[in-house]
Amino acid sequence: NAGVTQTPKFQVLKTGQSMTLQCAQDMNHNSMYWYRQDPGMGLRLIYYSASEGTTDKGEVPNGYNVSRLNKREFSLRLESAAPSQTSVYFCASSTADEKLFFGSGTQLSVL
Amino acid sequence: LAKTTQPISMDSYEGQEVNITCSHNNIATNDYITWYQQFPSQGPRFIIQGYKTKVTNEVASLFIPADRKSSTLSLPRVSLSDTAVYYCLVGGDYAGFQKLVFGTGTRLLVSP
């Protein structure tokens, strides 16, 4: 059972470039989340999706867009990357009683 | 949204019991209280969850007073491998949506 799978694991971008982070879960969870974690800091919620076809902003949504493609997949897009978006990005899904399951993360550097 | 407050860091020695308290004064009726453990370069991992009173599993206990405005994670007989950041998370169903926001976490250092 793979759980939550994120790709890629590492990525280096130049300022202004765009990219999409992919996330898929095989646990049949309705809710999915994107968090970012800056070095030495806690996790901050970027966007979440309560169910297929719905998305909503979290604490730090500026500069990001998301797509809930189907129940399994939830992607995060950076349209024009900035150095301030250098971070580790975690995707998660949750059970109905709010237990979160995380992917292994994507380490993103924007130069 | 219920906001959580935890100590920034704690130190302990191997074999000791560690208690980490989280304050969540604005917890809503439907909110669960969930604790996670995070090692460097990894995503957080679920430890334990409760709604009220006491919950125990194979790795920890969770104590929740009647007013539910705080909770205490208890780690019995810690080892070096318990060195990690521990997060208390309180979240709920707001108008049909879950919105789970993390606090700053507690950095636990276990020494020999």
Side-chain angles (χ1 to χ4, degrees), chain A residues 31-96:
Chain A
S31 299
M32 297 186 72
Y33 309 78
W34 276 105
Y35 292 89
R36 63 176 285 177
Q37 186 171 36
D38 298 335
M41 305 292 288
L43 290 93
R44 291 186 290 172
L45 181 64
I46 305 172
Y47 270 94
Y48 68 101
S49 171
S51 62
E52 182 179 353
T54 68
T55 61
D56 208 345
K57 296 178 180 179
E59 303 171 273
V60 289
N62 292 342
Y64 305 95
N65 286 303
V66 291
S67 296
R68 184 72 182 269
L69 306 171
N70 47 56
K71 191 170 186 178
R72 292 187 64 250
E73 298 173 288
F74 188 37
S75 63
L76 178 72
R77 182 162 179 84
L78 287 71
E79 292 290 351
S80 179
S84 61
Q85 294 178 306
T86 294
S87 191
V88 180
Y89 291 84
F90 290 103
C91 176
S93 64
S94 71
T95 60

Short mmCIF file of all heavy atoms in Angstrom, two decimals, chain A residues 31-96:
data_model
loop_
_atom_site.label_atom_id
_atom_site.label_comp_id
_atom_site.label_asym_id
_atom_site.label_seq_id
_atom_site.Cartn_x
_atom_site.Cartn_y
_atom_site.Cartn_z
N SER A 31 -10.47 14.02 1.66
CA SER A 31 -9.79 15.29 1.85
C SER A 31 -8.30 15.18 1.56
O SER A 31 -7.65 14.21 1.94
CB SER A 31 -9.98 15.78 3.29
OG SER A 31 -11.35 15.99 3.56
N MET A 32 -7.79 16.21 0.89
CA MET A 32 -6.36 16.28 0.58
C MET A 32 -5.85 17.69 0.83
O MET A 32 -6.62 18.66 0.79
CB MET A 32 -6.10 15.85 -0.88
CG MET A 32 -6.48 14.40 -1.15
SD MET A 32 -6.04 13.82 -2.79
CE MET A 32 -4.25 13.69 -2.64
N TYR A 33 -4.54 17.81 1.09
CA TYR A 33 -3.95 19.06 1.54
C TYR A 33 -2.58 19.26 0.92
O TYR A 33 -1.87 18.29 0.64
CB TYR A 33 -3.78 19.05 3.07
CG TYR A 33 -5.01 18.66 3.84
CD1 TYR A 33 -5.39 17.32 3.95
CD2 TYR A 33 -5.81 19.62 4.45
CE1 TYR A 33 -6.53 16.96 4.64
CE2 TYR A 33 -6.94 19.26 5.15
CZ TYR A 33 -7.29 17.93 5.24
OH TYR A 33 -8.43 17.57 5.93
N TRP A 34 -2.21 20.53 0.78
CA TRP A 34 -0.84 20.90 0.47
C TRP A 34 -0.32 21.82 1.56
O TRP A 34 -0.95 22.84 1.89
CB TRP A 34 -0.74 21.62 -0.87
CG TRP A 34 -0.68 20.69 -2.04
CD1 TRP A 34 -1.66 20.40 -2.93
CD2 TRP A 34 0.46 19.94 -2.46
NE1 TRP A 34 -1.22 19.50 -3.87
CE2 TRP A 34 0.08 19.20 -3.60
CE3 TRP A 34 1.78 19.80 -1.98
CZ2 TRP A 34 0.96 18.36 -4.27
CZ3 TRP A 34 2.64 18.96 -2.64
CH2 TRP A 34 2.24 18.25 -3.78
N TYR A 35 0.85 21.45 2.11
CA TYR A 35 1.53 22.25 3.11
C TYR A 35 2.92 22.62 2.59
O TYR A 35 3.50 21.90 1.79
CB TYR A 35 1.72 21.47 4.41
CG TYR A 35 0.46 21.15 5.18
CD1 TYR A 35 -0.26 19.99 4.92
CD2 TYR A 35 0.00 22.00 6.18
CE1 TYR A 35 -1.41 19.68 5.64
CE2 TYR A 35 -1.15 21.71 6.90
CZ TYR A 35 -1.84 20.55 6.63
OH TYR A 35 -2.98 20.24 7.34
N ARG A 36 3.46 23.70 3.12
CA ARG A 36 4.86 24.01 2.92
C ARG A 36 5.55 24.14 4.27
O ARG A 36 4.93 24.52 5.26
CB ARG A 36 5.06 25.28 2.10
CG ARG A 36 4.53 26.55 2.72
CD ARG A 36 4.87 27.76 1.85
NE ARG A 36 6.29 28.13 1.97
CZ ARG A 36 6.87 29.11 1.29
NH1 ARG A 36 6.18 29.82 0.42
NH2 ARG A 36 8.15 29.38 1.46
N GLN A 37 6.83 23.78 4.27
CA GLN A 37 7.61 23.88 5.50
C GLN A 37 8.96 24.51 5.19
O GLN A 37 9.79 23.90 4.49
CB GLN A 37 7.80 22.50 6.14
CG GLN A 37 8.47 22.56 7.50
CD GLN A 37 8.46 21.22 8.20
OE1 GLN A 37 8.58 20.17 7.58
NE2 GLN A 37 8.29 21.24 9.53
N ASP A 38 9.17 25.69 5.70
CA ASP A 38 10.45 26.38 5.53
C ASP A 38 11.43 25.85 6.57
O ASP A 38 11.03 25.33 7.61
CB ASP A 38 10.24 27.88 5.69
CG ASP A 38 9.30 28.43 4.62
OD1 ASP A 38 9.20 27.81 3.54
OD2 ASP A 38 8.65 29.46 4.87
N PRO A 39 12.72 25.98 6.30
CA PRO A 39 13.74 25.41 7.20
C PRO A 39 13.55 25.83 8.65
O PRO A 39 13.44 27.03 8.95
CB PRO A 39 15.04 25.96 6.62
CG PRO A 39 14.76 26.17 5.18
CD PRO A 39 13.33 26.62 5.11
N GLY A 40 13.49 24.85 9.54
CA GLY A 40 13.37 25.13 10.96
C GLY A 40 12.01 25.63 11.41
O GLY A 40 11.86 26.03 12.57
N MET A 41 11.04 25.58 10.52
CA MET A 41 9.73 26.12 10.84
C MET A 41 8.67 25.03 10.82
O MET A 41 8.93 23.89 10.43
CB MET A 41 9.36 27.20 9.81
CG MET A 41 10.39 28.31 9.68
SD MET A 41 10.48 29.32 11.15
CE MET A 41 8.95 30.22 11.02
N GLY A 42 7.47 25.41 11.24
CA GLY A 42 6.35 24.48 11.20
C GLY A 42 5.71 24.42 9.83
O GLY A 42 6.13 25.08 8.89
N LEU A 43 4.68 23.61 9.72
CA LEU A 43 3.98 23.46 8.44
C LEU A 43 2.90 24.51 8.30
O LEU A 43 2.19 24.81 9.26
CB LEU A 43 3.32 22.07 8.36
CG LEU A 43 4.28 20.91 8.21
CD1 LEU A 43 4.64 20.33 9.56
CD2 LEU A 43 3.67 19.83 7.33
N ARG A 44 2.79 25.04 7.10
CA ARG A 44 1.74 26.02 6.81
C ARG A 44 0.86 25.50 5.68
O ARG A 44 1.36 25.03 4.66
CB ARG A 44 2.35 27.37 6.45
CG ARG A 44 3.02 28.06 7.62
CD ARG A 44 3.49 29.45 7.24
NE ARG A 44 4.60 29.42 6.31
CZ ARG A 44 5.10 30.50 5.70
NH1 ARG A 44 4.58 31.68 5.93
NH2 ARG A 44 6.11 30.38 4.87
N LEU A 45 -0.43 25.61 5.87
CA LEU A 45 -1.39 25.08 4.91
C LEU A 45 -1.53 26.03 3.73
O LEU A 45 -1.81 27.22 3.89
CB LEU A 45 -2.75 24.90 5.60
CG LEU A 45 -3.88 24.34 4.75
CD1 LEU A 45 -3.56 22.92 4.30
CD2 LEU A 45 -5.18 24.37 5.55
N ILE A 46 -1.34 25.49 2.52
CA ILE A 46 -1.44 26.30 1.31
C ILE A 46 -2.86 26.24 0.75
O ILE A 46 -3.53 27.25 0.58
CB ILE A 46 -0.44 25.81 0.23
CG1 ILE A 46 0.98 25.77 0.79
CG2 ILE A 46 -0.51 26.71 -1.00
CD1 ILE A 46 1.98 25.11 -0.15
N TYR A 47 -3.29 25.05 0.43
CA TYR A 47 -4.62 24.79 -0.10
C TYR A 47 -5.10 23.45 0.43
O TYR A 47 -4.30 22.59 0.78
CB TYR A 47 -4.62 24.73 -1.64
CG TYR A 47 -4.86 26.03 -2.34
CD1 TYR A 47 -3.79 26.82 -2.75
CD2 TYR A 47 -6.15 26.46 -2.63
CE1 TYR A 47 -4.01 28.02 -3.44
CE2 TYR A 47 -6.38 27.65 -3.31
CZ TYR A 47 -5.31 28.42 -3.70
OH TYR A 47 -5.52 29.60 -4.38
N TYR A 48 -6.40 23.28 0.43
CA TYR A 48 -6.94 21.98 0.75
C TYR A 48 -8.15 21.69 -0.13
O TYR A 48 -8.71 22.61 -0.75
CB TYR A 48 -7.29 21.87 2.24
CG TYR A 48 -8.44 22.74 2.68
CD1 TYR A 48 -9.71 22.22 2.85
CD2 TYR A 48 -8.25 24.09 2.96
CE1 TYR A 48 -10.76 23.02 3.27
CE2 TYR A 48 -9.29 24.89 3.37
CZ TYR A 48 -10.53 24.36 3.53
OH TYR A 48 -11.58 25.15 3.93
N SER A 49 -8.52 20.42 -0.15
CA SER A 49 -9.66 19.98 -0.95
C SER A 49 -10.47 19.01 -0.10
O SER A 49 -9.97 17.95 0.26
CB SER A 49 -9.18 19.30 -2.23
OG SER A 49 -10.26 18.69 -2.90
N ALA A 50 -11.67 19.40 0.21
CA ALA A 50 -12.50 18.56 1.07
C ALA A 50 -13.04 17.35 0.32
O ALA A 50 -13.34 16.32 0.93
CB ALA A 50 -13.66 19.38 1.64
N SER A 51 -13.17 17.46 -0.97
CA SER A 51 -13.67 16.34 -1.77
C SER A 51 -13.37 16.62 -3.23
O SER A 51 -12.98 17.74 -3.61
CB SER A 51 -15.18 16.16 -1.58
OG SER A 51 -15.88 17.31 -2.01
N GLU A 52 -13.55 15.63 -4.05
CA GLU A 52 -13.32 15.79 -5.48
C GLU A 52 -14.17 16.94 -6.02
O GLU A 52 -15.36 17.03 -5.73
CB GLU A 52 -13.70 14.49 -6.20
CG GLU A 52 -13.47 14.51 -7.68
CD GLU A 52 -13.85 13.20 -8.33
OE1 GLU A 52 -14.17 12.24 -7.59
OE2 GLU A 52 -13.84 13.12 -9.57
N GLY A 53 -13.52 17.83 -6.74
CA GLY A 53 -14.24 18.95 -7.34
C GLY A 53 -14.28 20.20 -6.49
O GLY A 53 -14.78 21.24 -6.94
N THR A 54 -13.75 20.17 -5.27
CA THR A 54 -13.75 21.34 -4.41
C THR A 54 -12.34 21.64 -3.92
O THR A 54 -11.58 20.73 -3.61
CB THR A 54 -14.66 21.16 -3.19
OG1 THR A 54 -14.10 20.16 -2.34
CG2 THR A 54 -16.06 20.75 -3.60
N THR A 55 -11.99 22.91 -3.88
CA THR A 55 -10.73 23.34 -3.30
C THR A 55 -10.96 24.64 -2.54
O THR A 55 -11.91 25.37 -2.82
CB THR A 55 -9.65 23.59 -4.38
OG1 THR A 55 -10.08 24.63 -5.26
CG2 THR A 55 -9.36 22.32 -5.18
N ASP A 56 -10.07 24.91 -1.59
CA ASP A 56 -10.21 26.14 -0.81
C ASP A 56 -8.85 26.58 -0.32
O ASP A 56 -7.93 25.76 -0.17
CB ASP A 56 -11.16 25.94 0.36
CG ASP A 56 -11.85 27.24 0.77
OD1 ASP A 56 -11.38 28.33 0.33
OD2 ASP A 56 -12.83 27.19 1.53
N LYS A 57 -8.72 27.88 -0.06
CA LYS A 57 -7.45 28.44 0.35
C LYS A 57 -7.15 28.12 1.81
O LYS A 57 -8.05 28.06 2.65
CB LYS A 57 -7.47 29.96 0.17
CG LYS A 57 -7.62 30.40 -1.28
CD LYS A 57 -7.69 31.91 -1.40
CE LYS A 57 -7.83 32.32 -2.85
NZ LYS A 57 -7.93 33.80 -2.99
N GLY A 58 -5.86 27.96 2.09
CA GLY A 58 -5.40 27.79 3.45
C GLY A 58 -4.78 29.07 3.96
O GLY A 58 -5.25 30.17 3.66
N GLU A 59 -3.70 28.94 4.72
CA GLU A 59 -3.06 30.11 5.33
C GLU A 59 -2.23 30.93 4.35
O GLU A 59 -2.15 32.16 4.47
CB GLU A 59 -2.12 29.65 6.44
CG GLU A 59 -2.74 28.81 7.54
CD GLU A 59 -1.66 28.26 8.44
OE1 GLU A 59 -1.13 27.17 8.13
OE2 GLU A 59 -1.35 28.91 9.45
N VAL A 60 -1.55 30.27 3.41
CA VAL A 60 -0.61 30.95 2.52
C VAL A 60 -0.84 30.58 1.06
O VAL A 60 0.02 29.98 0.41
CB VAL A 60 0.85 30.63 2.96
CG1 VAL A 60 1.18 31.33 4.26
CG2 VAL A 60 1.07 29.12 3.08
N PRO A 61 -1.96 30.93 0.46
CA PRO A 61 -2.27 30.51 -0.90
C PRO A 61 -1.65 31.34 -2.03
O PRO A 61 -1.63 30.88 -3.18
CB PRO A 61 -3.80 30.64 -0.94
CG PRO A 61 -4.06 31.81 -0.02
CD PRO A 61 -3.06 31.67 1.09
N ASN A 62 -1.17 32.54 -1.71
CA ASN A 62 -0.71 33.44 -2.77
C ASN A 62 0.47 32.84 -3.53
O ASN A 62 1.44 32.38 -2.95
CB ASN A 62 -0.31 34.79 -2.18
CG ASN A 62 -1.50 35.55 -1.65
OD1 ASN A 62 -2.64 35.25 -2.00
ND2 ASN A 62 -1.26 36.53 -0.80
N GLY A 63 0.37 32.88 -4.87
CA GLY A 63 1.42 32.35 -5.73
C GLY A 63 1.24 30.90 -6.12
O GLY A 63 2.07 30.35 -6.85
N TYR A 64 0.14 30.31 -5.67
CA TYR A 64 -0.12 28.89 -5.94
C TYR A 64 -1.52 28.70 -6.51
O TYR A 64 -2.43 29.47 -6.22
CB TYR A 64 -0.01 28.06 -4.67
CG TYR A 64 1.28 28.19 -3.93
CD1 TYR A 64 1.40 29.09 -2.87
CD2 TYR A 64 2.37 27.40 -4.25
CE1 TYR A 64 2.58 29.21 -2.17
CE2 TYR A 64 3.57 27.51 -3.56
CZ TYR A 64 3.67 28.42 -2.52
OH TYR A 64 4.84 28.54 -1.82
N ASN A 65 -1.66 27.64 -7.29
CA ASN A 65 -2.97 27.17 -7.71
C ASN A 65 -3.02 25.66 -7.53
O ASN A 65 -1.98 25.00 -7.54
CB ASN A 65 -3.24 27.51 -9.18
CG ASN A 65 -3.52 28.98 -9.37
OD1 ASN A 65 -4.43 29.53 -8.76
ND2 ASN A 65 -2.72 29.64 -10.18
N VAL A 66 -4.21 25.13 -7.37
CA VAL A 66 -4.35 23.69 -7.18
C VAL A 66 -5.44 23.15 -8.11
O VAL A 66 -6.30 23.89 -8.57
CB VAL A 66 -4.70 23.32 -5.72
CG1 VAL A 66 -3.53 23.59 -4.79
CG2 VAL A 66 -5.96 24.06 -5.26
N SER A 67 -5.34 21.84 -8.32
CA SER A 67 -6.37 21.13 -9.08
C SER A 67 -6.63 19.79 -8.42
O SER A 67 -5.69 19.03 -8.17
CB SER A 67 -5.90 20.90 -10.53
OG SER A 67 -5.73 22.10 -11.21
N ARG A 68 -7.89 19.55 -8.11
CA ARG A 68 -8.26 18.21 -7.62
C ARG A 68 -8.78 17.46 -8.83
O ARG A 68 -9.95 17.55 -9.19
CB ARG A 68 -9.33 18.34 -6.54
CG ARG A 68 -9.70 17.00 -5.91
CD ARG A 68 -8.63 16.45 -5.03
NE ARG A 68 -8.94 15.18 -4.47
CZ ARG A 68 -9.56 14.99 -3.30
NH1 ARG A 68 -9.95 16.03 -2.58
NH2 ARG A 68 -9.78 13.76 -2.85
N LEU A 69 -7.91 16.71 -9.43
CA LEU A 69 -8.18 16.07 -10.71
C LEU A 69 -9.22 14.98 -10.58
O LEU A 69 -10.05 14.76 -11.48
CB LEU A 69 -6.88 15.51 -11.28
CG LEU A 69 -5.74 16.54 -11.41
CD1 LEU A 69 -4.44 15.86 -11.76
CD2 LEU A 69 -6.11 17.61 -12.43
N ASN A 70 -9.16 14.26 -9.52
CA ASN A 70 -10.11 13.18 -9.21
C ASN A 70 -9.94 12.88 -7.73
O ASN A 70 -9.23 13.61 -7.03
CB ASN A 70 -9.84 11.94 -10.09
CG ASN A 70 -8.37 11.59 -10.12
OD1 ASN A 70 -7.77 11.38 -9.05
ND2 ASN A 70 -7.78 11.53 -11.30
N LYS A 71 -10.54 11.82 -7.25
CA LYS A 71 -10.45 11.56 -5.82
C LYS A 71 -9.02 11.26 -5.39
O LYS A 71 -8.62 11.55 -4.28
CB LYS A 71 -11.37 10.40 -5.44
CG LYS A 71 -11.55 10.23 -3.95
CD LYS A 71 -12.64 9.24 -3.61
CE LYS A 71 -12.89 9.21 -2.12
NZ LYS A 71 -13.99 8.30 -1.75
N ARG A 72 -8.22 10.69 -6.25
CA ARG A 72 -6.88 10.26 -5.91
C ARG A 72 -5.84 11.37 -6.00
O ARG A 72 -4.88 11.39 -5.26
CB ARG A 72 -6.44 9.13 -6.84
CG ARG A 72 -7.16 7.83 -6.68
CD ARG A 72 -6.49 6.76 -7.55
NE ARG A 72 -5.13 6.47 -7.12
CZ ARG A 72 -4.04 6.80 -7.81
NH1 ARG A 72 -4.14 7.46 -8.96
NH2 ARG A 72 -2.84 6.48 -7.37
N GLU A 73 -6.02 12.31 -6.92
CA GLU A 73 -4.93 13.22 -7.27
C GLU A 73 -5.22 14.68 -6.94
O GLU A 73 -6.32 15.18 -7.23
CB GLU A 73 -4.63 13.08 -8.76
CG GLU A 73 -4.17 11.69 -9.16
CD GLU A 73 -4.06 11.55 -10.67
OE1 GLU A 73 -5.11 11.50 -11.34
OE2 GLU A 73 -2.92 11.52 -11.16
N PHE A 74 -4.21 15.34 -6.41
CA PHE A 74 -4.33 16.75 -6.02
C PHE A 74 -2.99 17.41 -6.36
O PHE A 74 -1.98 17.12 -5.72
CB PHE A 74 -4.63 16.83 -4.52
CG PHE A 74 -4.97 18.19 -4.01
CD1 PHE A 74 -5.73 19.08 -4.73
CD2 PHE A 74 -4.56 18.57 -2.73
CE1 PHE A 74 -6.07 20.33 -4.24
CE2 PHE A 74 -4.89 19.82 -2.22
CZ PHE A 74 -5.64 20.69 -2.97
N SER A 75 -3.00 18.28 -7.35
CA SER A 75 -1.74 18.87 -7.80
C SER A 75 -1.63 20.32 -7.36
O SER A 75 -2.63 21.02 -7.15
CB SER A 75 -1.64 18.79 -9.33
OG SER A 75 -2.68 19.53 -9.94
N LEU A 76 -0.39 20.77 -7.21
CA LEU A 76 -0.08 22.14 -6.79
C LEU A 76 0.77 22.79 -7.88
O LEU A 76 1.80 22.24 -8.27
CB LEU A 76 0.70 22.13 -5.47
CG LEU A 76 1.15 23.48 -4.93
CD1 LEU A 76 -0.05 24.27 -4.40
CD2 LEU A 76 2.20 23.30 -3.83
N ARG A 77 0.37 23.94 -8.35
CA ARG A 77 1.08 24.61 -9.44
C ARG A 77 1.64 25.95 -8.99
O ARG A 77 0.92 26.75 -8.34
CB ARG A 77 0.18 24.79 -10.66
CG ARG A 77 0.90 25.44 -11.84
CD ARG A 77 0.17 25.23 -13.13
NE ARG A 77 0.88 25.88 -14.24
CZ ARG A 77 1.91 25.33 -14.90
NH1 ARG A 77 2.35 24.13 -14.57
NH2 ARG A 77 2.47 25.98 -15.91
N LEU A 78 2.89 26.17 -9.34
CA LEU A 78 3.53 27.46 -9.18
C LEU A 78 3.61 28.08 -10.56
O LEU A 78 4.32 27.57 -11.43
CB LEU A 78 4.93 27.32 -8.59
CG LEU A 78 5.08 26.96 -7.12
CD1 LEU A 78 4.68 25.51 -6.86
CD2 LEU A 78 6.50 27.20 -6.66
N GLU A 79 2.89 29.14 -10.79
CA GLU A 79 2.83 29.73 -12.13
C GLU A 79 4.10 30.52 -12.46
O GLU A 79 4.57 30.50 -13.58
CB GLU A 79 1.61 30.65 -12.25
CG GLU A 79 0.28 29.92 -12.23
CD GLU A 79 0.05 29.09 -13.49
OE1 GLU A 79 0.83 29.20 -14.46
OE2 GLU A 79 -0.93 28.32 -13.52
N SER A 80 4.63 31.22 -11.49
CA SER A 80 5.83 32.04 -11.69
C SER A 80 6.63 32.00 -10.40
O SER A 80 6.40 32.78 -9.48
CB SER A 80 5.45 33.48 -12.05
OG SER A 80 6.60 34.27 -12.22
N ALA A 81 7.55 31.03 -10.33
CA ALA A 81 8.24 30.76 -9.08
C ALA A 81 9.07 31.95 -8.61
O ALA A 81 9.70 32.67 -9.41
CB ALA A 81 9.13 29.54 -9.24
N ALA A 82 9.10 32.13 -7.29
CA ALA A 82 9.89 33.19 -6.66
C ALA A 82 10.78 32.56 -5.58
O ALA A 82 10.44 31.51 -5.03
CB ALA A 82 8.95 34.22 -6.02
N PRO A 83 11.91 33.21 -5.29
CA PRO A 83 12.81 32.66 -4.25
C PRO A 83 12.10 32.42 -2.92
O PRO A 83 12.47 31.50 -2.18
CB PRO A 83 13.90 33.73 -4.15
CG PRO A 83 13.95 34.34 -5.51
CD PRO A 83 12.52 34.37 -5.97
N SER A 84 11.08 33.21 -2.61
CA SER A 84 10.34 33.04 -1.35
C SER A 84 9.56 31.72 -1.31
O SER A 84 9.07 31.33 -0.25
CB SER A 84 9.38 34.21 -1.15
OG SER A 84 8.43 34.26 -2.22
N GLN A 85 9.44 31.07 -2.44
CA GLN A 85 8.75 29.78 -2.49
C GLN A 85 9.70 28.60 -2.32
O GLN A 85 9.27 27.44 -2.40
CB GLN A 85 7.96 29.66 -3.80
CG GLN A 85 6.82 30.66 -3.88
CD GLN A 85 6.07 30.59 -5.18
OE1 GLN A 85 6.65 30.68 -6.27
NE2 GLN A 85 4.75 30.43 -5.10
N THR A 86 10.95 28.88 -2.08
CA THR A 86 11.89 27.83 -1.72
C THR A 86 11.46 27.21 -0.40
O THR A 86 11.34 27.91 0.61
CB THR A 86 13.32 28.39 -1.59
OG1 THR A 86 13.78 28.82 -2.87
CG2 THR A 86 14.26 27.34 -1.03
N SER A 87 11.20 25.91 -0.42
CA SER A 87 10.62 25.26 0.75
C SER A 87 10.52 23.77 0.49
O SER A 87 10.85 23.28 -0.60
CB SER A 87 9.22 25.84 1.01
OG SER A 87 8.72 25.42 2.27
N VAL A 88 10.08 23.04 1.50
CA VAL A 88 9.70 21.64 1.31
C VAL A 88 8.18 21.58 1.30
O VAL A 88 7.52 22.13 2.18
CB VAL A 88 10.25 20.73 2.43
CG1 VAL A 88 9.82 19.29 2.20
CG2 VAL A 88 11.78 20.83 2.49
N TYR A 89 7.66 20.93 0.29
CA TYR A 89 6.22 20.86 0.11
C TYR A 89 5.73 19.44 0.44
O TYR A 89 6.27 18.46 -0.05
CB TYR A 89 5.84 21.22 -1.33
CG TYR A 89 6.09 22.68 -1.61
CD1 TYR A 89 7.36 23.15 -1.97
CD2 TYR A 89 5.06 23.61 -1.49
CE1 TYR A 89 7.59 24.49 -2.21
CE2 TYR A 89 5.28 24.95 -1.72
CZ TYR A 89 6.55 25.38 -2.08
OH TYR A 89 6.78 26.72 -2.30
N PHE A 90 4.73 19.39 1.29
CA PHE A 90 4.14 18.12 1.67
C PHE A 90 2.69 18.06 1.25
O PHE A 90 1.92 19.00 1.48
CB PHE A 90 4.21 17.92 3.19
CG PHE A 90 5.58 17.69 3.73
CD1 PHE A 90 6.27 18.70 4.38
CD2 PHE A 90 6.18 16.44 3.61
CE1 PHE A 90 7.53 18.48 4.89
CE2 PHE A 90 7.45 16.21 4.11
CZ PHE A 90 8.13 17.23 4.75
N CYS A 91 2.34 16.93 0.67
CA CYS A 91 0.95 16.63 0.37
C CYS A 91 0.44 15.67 1.43
O CYS A 91 1.20 14.85 1.96
CB CYS A 91 0.85 16.00 -1.02
SG CYS A 91 -0.81 15.48 -1.48
N ALA A 92 -0.82 15.78 1.76
CA ALA A 92 -1.41 14.89 2.75
C ALA A 92 -2.86 14.59 2.39
O ALA A 92 -3.50 15.35 1.66
CB ALA A 92 -1.34 15.50 4.15
N SER A 93 -3.33 13.48 2.90
CA SER A 93 -4.76 13.18 2.81
C SER A 93 -5.24 12.82 4.21
O SER A 93 -4.43 12.50 5.09
CB SER A 93 -5.03 12.04 1.83
OG SER A 93 -4.45 10.83 2.28
N SER A 94 -6.52 12.89 4.44
CA SER A 94 -7.01 12.62 5.79
C SER A 94 -8.24 11.73 5.79
O SER A 94 -9.05 11.74 4.85
CB SER A 94 -7.32 13.92 6.54
OG SER A 94 -8.47 14.55 6.01
N THR A 95 -8.36 10.99 6.88
CA THR A 95 -9.55 10.19 7.12
C THR A 95 -10.69 11.10 7.56
O THR A 95 -10.49 12.30 7.81
CB THR A 95 -9.27 9.17 8.22
OG1 THR A 95 -8.92 9.89 9.42
CG2 THR A 95 -8.11 8.24 7.85
N ALA A 96 -11.86 10.53 7.68
CA ALA A 96 -13.02 11.32 8.10
C ALA A 96 -12.84 11.87 9.52
O ALA A 96 -13.39 12.92 9.85
CB ALA A 96 -14.28 10.47 8.02
#
